[in-house]
Amino acid sequence: MKKIFSGIFLAMILTLTSLPAYAASSTIKIDGVVVTTDAAPETKNNRTMVPLRVISENLGATVNWKDSKVILTNNKMQITLQPNSNTVIKNGKTELLDVKPYLKNNRLFVPIRFIAETFGCQVNYQNSTVTVDTAPLVINNVKVKAVQYEYRMTMGGVVQQLQGNTYNKALYKMFVENKGNLVDAPAIYSWQIDLDHPGSYSKNGQYNFMSHENKSIQQFDLYHLNTAFPDEILKEYPVVLIHDVTANKWYIFSDKALESIKQLMNTATNNGFLKILSNTVL
């Protein structure tokens, strides 16, 4: 009987030791927000591994693939790594990772602590939660807490809060870098679509960069030309305008940049960084 139990016990040990070194998934919290992802983070060899998309979208890194290698770039820092290799090149210098990046279900899993700390983030681990804090956006020497985003429909409107320093920085950069020529304020502009006056503009969205004291630091409003009129009448009017409300100045804005902002807001929503403060739409 003792031999039978000894054999069973030995078989259990062999089975357990032959399993991959994975543990239960961890929770990732970036700038206080629990990140939503379609592939759960994993723990391998005491290191939290996350899909590459978590890094690229929520830490602001650009991703390029070259010769089966992935190159991550964030500001002046560049990391080159390869699946199933613990060799990594950080700004031209070779280092060794504690755990190799790996492919699983067509996703590349990478060690979040190493990459986040390399990009200047603060990383802590407690109770199966990895907390990553990134550097905040600073406007006029004031730290931005969040962006209050508002849009309206025919009946009612929605006020949302965009969290996450990476998203705030990306949004602010889009506004600043895509402002065109300075123009006069349109004769007619409002939240509502005016179908009676050619050259009128309706507000597409209101973006207010807020301080930690919940005071406005910078506000941008985007306006779109009402196009329910013949093209020959509207040809002299820009399609999109941006109103720098803080400085009370109007600029031409590109339609392509407007679409990029919409995509950014959708990505933030999918990852859990955009939350609804109020919704009065009927």
Side-chain angles (χ1 to χ4, degrees):
M1 182 66 69
K2 290 183 178 180
K3 290 183 178 180
I4 295 176
F5 280 112
S6 297
I8 295 175
F9 184 67
L10 178 60
M12 291 176 62
I13 292 176
L14 291 174
T15 300
L16 291 173
T17 55
S18 65
L19 293 174
Y22 294 92
S25 61
S26 301
T27 298
I28 306 298
K29 185 180 289 187
I30 298 178
D31 295 332
V33 177
V34 176
V35 177
T36 303
T37 175
D38 56 358
E42 298 178 344
T43 301
K44 183 178 182 181
N45 298 341
N46 294 321
R47 292 291 181 267
T48 301
M49 310 295 289
V50 298
L52 184 61
R53 178 178 168 184
V54 172
I55 300 295
S56 62
E57 293 184 351
N58 301 310
L59 295 185
T62 58
V63 178
N64 291 292
W65 284 88
K66 183 178 181 181
D67 299 329
S68 74
K69 296 180 180 179
V70 62
I71 302 172
L72 303 175
T73 306
N74 190 319
N75 295 324
K76 297 181 180 179
M77 182 59 66
Q78 186 178 90
I79 301 173
T80 302
L81 48 82
Q82 190 172 6
N84 302 316
S85 172
N86 63 350
T87 300
V88 61
I89 300 175
K90 187 169 69 174
N91 271 13
K93 297 181 179 180
T94 300
E95 295 187 16
L96 295 179
L97 296 172
D98 294 335
V99 60
K100 300 177 182 179
Y102 57 89
L103 290 168
K104 182 177 180 181
N105 297 329
N106 295 320
R107 291 175 177 81
L108 178 63
F109 282 73
V110 296
I112 188 171
R113 176 182 286 273
F114 172 81
I115 296 176
E117 289 183 343
T118 298
F119 288 155
C121 306
Q122 299 294 322
V123 182
N124 291 292
Y125 183 86
Q126 187 175 13
N127 299 328
S128 298
T129 298
V130 179
T131 301
V132 180
D133 294 316
T134 67
L137 169 65
V138 178
I139 302 176
N140 298 329
N141 297 319
V142 180
K143 294 180 181 179
V144 173
K145 177 184 178 182
V147 177
Q148 187 166 299
Y149 165 56
E150 181 177 354
Y151 65 91
R152 296 183 186 177
M153 304 181 73
T154 304
M155 297 183 68
V158 179
V159 179
Q160 296 175 294
Q161 186 181 74
L162 176 64
Q163 299 172 292
N165 296 322
T166 295
Y167 292 100
N168 294 338
K169 291 176 184 177
L171 184 61
Y172 185 74
K173 184 177 181 181
M174 288 180 182
F175 286 135
V176 173
E177 293 186 353
N178 289 284
K179 288 193 300 185
N181 294 330
L182 185 68
V183 295
D184 293 331
I188 301 174
Y189 59 93
S190 70
W191 280 107
Q192 304 300 320
I193 297 177
D194 187 334
L195 299 178
D196 297 324
H197 301 91
S200 61
Y201 287 81
S202 58
K203 188 184 291 190
N204 177 272
Q206 180 174 296
Y207 304 80
N208 214 331
F209 293 80
M210 308 295 292
S211 70
H212 285 263
E213 292 74 31
N214 292 321
K215 295 181 179 180
S216 174
I217 307 171
Q218 176 72 56
Q219 180 178 330
F220 294 105
D221 294 349
L222 290 176
Y223 287 84
H224 201 279
L225 177 66
N226 298 327
T227 56
F229 301 94
D231 291 342
E232 58 269 19
I233 297 178
L234 301 177
K235 62 181 180 181
E236 63 180 280
Y237 298 100
V239 176
V240 183
L241 294 175
I242 182 171
H243 182 201
D244 182 340
V245 178
T246 306
N248 194 24
K249 293 182 179 180
W250 291 77
Y251 301 87
I252 295 175
F253 201 71
S254 74
D255 193 49
K256 183 177 180 180
L258 177 59
E259 290 304 314
S260 296
I261 289 173
K262 291 180 180 178
Q263 292 176 10
L264 175 70
M265 302 301 280
N266 286 335
T267 299
T269 300
N270 294 335
N271 289 335
F273 284 82
L274 193 65
K275 68 176 184 179
I276 296 176
L277 298 182
S278 68
N279 186 346
T280 59
V281 177
L282 299 178

